[in-house]
């Protein structure tokens, strides 16, 4: 399914589950001939947002449910801090990050997709959502379609 004649697509995958992000990252890198940066928790995104704004990715794929701190990062020496009260609900972390991205003038043109096991009814109606499954073909198809649409709007 990879299109070799297209330029590489930069993707940020925001996912806390190691097994899921390892598999999704590998598949997306193959499909889009680019690098996928993985961010594993909400606090890591907050820390990375200024550097992301310096070199904005083409796509954000965001798990809807994320911890403030991922336990894996704690073993890397990251200091644990209490989540701010307005970011305490892990079930809404992905929606908050999507709003942060849309509010950032450097990042707002990126394609943003919530990729989750949550039901559609659990998410705001203005959020683009793809259900997680074993097959990432629906995700890949949407990324391709959204990037083509975005390219057409720029012409």
């Amino acid at each position: 399914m990879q299109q070799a004649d297209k330029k590489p697509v930069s993707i940020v995958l925001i996912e806390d589950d190691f097994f899921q992000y390892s598999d999704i990252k590998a598949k997306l890198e193959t499909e889009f001939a680019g690098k996928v940066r993985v961010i594993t928790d909400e606090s890591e995104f907050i820390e990375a947002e200024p550097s992301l704004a310096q070199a904005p990715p083409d796509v954000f794929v965001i798990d809807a449910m994320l911890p403030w701190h991922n336990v894996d990062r704690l073993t890397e020496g990251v200091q644990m801090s209490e989540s701010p009260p307005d970011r305490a609900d892990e079930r809404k972390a992905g929606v908050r990050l999507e709003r942060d991205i849309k509010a950032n003038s450097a990042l707002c043109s990126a394609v943003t997709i919530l990729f989750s096991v949550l039901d559609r009814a659990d998410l705001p109606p203005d959020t683009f959502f793809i259900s997680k499954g074993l097959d990432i073909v629906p995700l890949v198809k949407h990324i391709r379609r959204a990037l083509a649409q975005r390219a057409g709007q720029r012409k």
Side-chain angles (χ1 to χ4, degrees):
M1 193 188 294
Q2 180 181 348
Q3 297 174 348
D5 59 334
K6 300 292 182 183
K7 77 173 188 86
V9 175
S10 64
I11 300 173
V12 173
L13 172 62
I14 305 174
E15 168 64 63
D16 62 307
D17 183 282
F18 172 79
F19 296 106
Q20 289 184 27
Y21 73 68
S22 296
D23 184 51
I24 295 166
K25 177 182 187 288
K27 289 175 179 176
L28 290 176
E29 286 179 340
T30 298
E31 289 294 332
F32 293 100
K35 287 291 181 190
V36 174
R37 177 177 178 178
V38 175
I39 293 177
T40 63
D41 59 48
E42 191 172 9
S43 67
E44 184 179 4
F45 174 83
I46 301 299
E47 294 164 13
E49 190 172 3
S51 67
L52 291 170
Q54 294 295 317
D58 298 303
V59 178
F60 285 95
V61 176
I62 309 167
D63 185 8
M65 296 186 297
L66 295 163
W68 177 250
H69 282 296
N70 189 324
V71 175
D72 294 339
R73 282 195 354 140
L74 299 178
T75 61
E76 297 168 6
V78 173
Q79 295 297 315
M80 187 169 191
S81 63
E82 196 69 30
S83 64
D86 64 333
R87 294 193 177 258
D89 187 350
E90 291 184 0
R91 289 179 53 95
K92 296 181 180 174
V95 172
R96 286 191 299 268
L97 295 184
E98 181 186 37
R99 289 188 180 140
D100 291 345
I101 291 163
K102 288 180 178 179
N104 185 315
S105 63
L107 301 175
C108 65
S109 66
V111 173
T112 57
I113 303 163
L114 283 181
F115 192 53
S116 181
V117 296
L118 289 178
D119 290 332
R120 177 74 187 117
D122 295 325
L123 300 168
D126 63 338
T127 300
F128 188 82
F129 164 76
I130 295 180
S131 184
K132 278 185 184 176
L134 297 176
D135 188 1
I136 69 159
V137 170
L139 176 63
V140 169
K141 284 182 178 179
H142 178 72
I143 291 171
R144 288 195 199 295
R145 191 171 37 251
L147 290 172
Q149 181 180 16
R150 187 179 76 173
Q153 290 172 349
R154 290 182 178 170
K155 289 182 180 179

